[in-house]
Amino acid sequence: MTHDAGSEGIINRRHSLLFRGVLISAMALPMLVFYAIGTLGPYLVDDLNVVPGWLGYLTMSSFGLAALLSLWAGPLVSRLGARQSLVLLFLLASMAYALLGLATSFTGVMLAVAVCGIAQALSNPATNLMIANSVPPHQKASVVGMKQAGVQISALFAGLSLPGIAELLGWRAALAVLIPCGLLLALVTWKVTAGDRPTAAARFSLTRPSRILALLMVIQFCAGVALSAFITFLGVYATQQGMSSVTAGSLVAVFGVMGILARVGLTPLAGRMRDASWLLLLLLVLSAVAIGVIIQTSPDRQWTLWAGTIGMGLTAVATNAVAMSMLLQDRAFGAPATSAGMLSAAFFAGFAVGPPSFGGLSTSIWGFTGAWTALVVVLVLGSIVALVLSRCRSNGWAGEVLSQPVEGK
């Protein structure tokens, strides 16, 4: 009998690890394409015969679609159920990487990357709904931080492995290795996650966010602009400063490690705070400082690029995890799946706008210095909005809870 109980405990622990692995992978696999653009950027520019600024359009195609679809992703996930949504996510990601392996033109790559945008739109609503339904309240903040760290695990994987594979087999082969991973994850998800009851009455109308959710969405938009532009052009900027492509990939890996530490460490801290808006304010201010350090980079002073990358990983990366944790702790923001979808829409909109805007500035008369400076301005704006959010929450000014559809939609 004791043996049976022990065996059951081992099975339960194994099931728990697989469950958490599914959540991490659901965040990692769709976002990996974003870090792949950053690490494989030099290879894409050479092979597709495009100027570096065009890389921003790849990010825009993915996250622009993700931002648009995120407006309806919450109701869709509620109707399908979390398990079915996660399986669909992994299948779509596998399809995207298969199309990337077959693409022979910049247009083909852009369309393949856009497919990943569909999976990205599902990731936060599906994982948040799974956590809301399956994780005890006292563990929610730590599980959110852990699953959000999956995004940075993808950065670590992209920085350490993809440039080496691309050197040997080409960038298409480097991405093609992800296809069987996605298919396997779809199967594992179906086996280890509990089937939930879909909400047949979920509405696909656009909903109006509460006032505090709207402020949080603006903050996440600013964070998305800065993060997306930073990662998309980090590899290209580093090579212009005299680094090799492999060393530039190591920068992304370091960014990933710092992001994992930040999200795993700061999200539980945010869960214990009375108002995590102050933590968001601090992170955004420090992110602006990190970009300011990067501006000082030159071929003879590359340490500032390493320092700035570490700073961005420890600060800006954690903002999305902290924001998602706030949604689960305070229902004034709205229902878990719907509010997560709307917050993701704002975050992804920032990802869509940031890289092409940065790319345009970097090729203008202001160059990279002007582009980096613009990111500092965006982060300062986000800091101001975070201060406004903290004041609103302290005064009890939540506004209407997200519930009613927008008229005419």
Side-chain angles (χ1 to χ4, degrees), residues 353-378:
V353 170
S357 301
F358 187 97
L361 282 173
S362 67
T363 55
S364 70
I365 58 174
W366 293 285
F368 270 99
T369 299
W372 291 126
T373 303
L375 294 189
V376 173
V377 173
V378 170

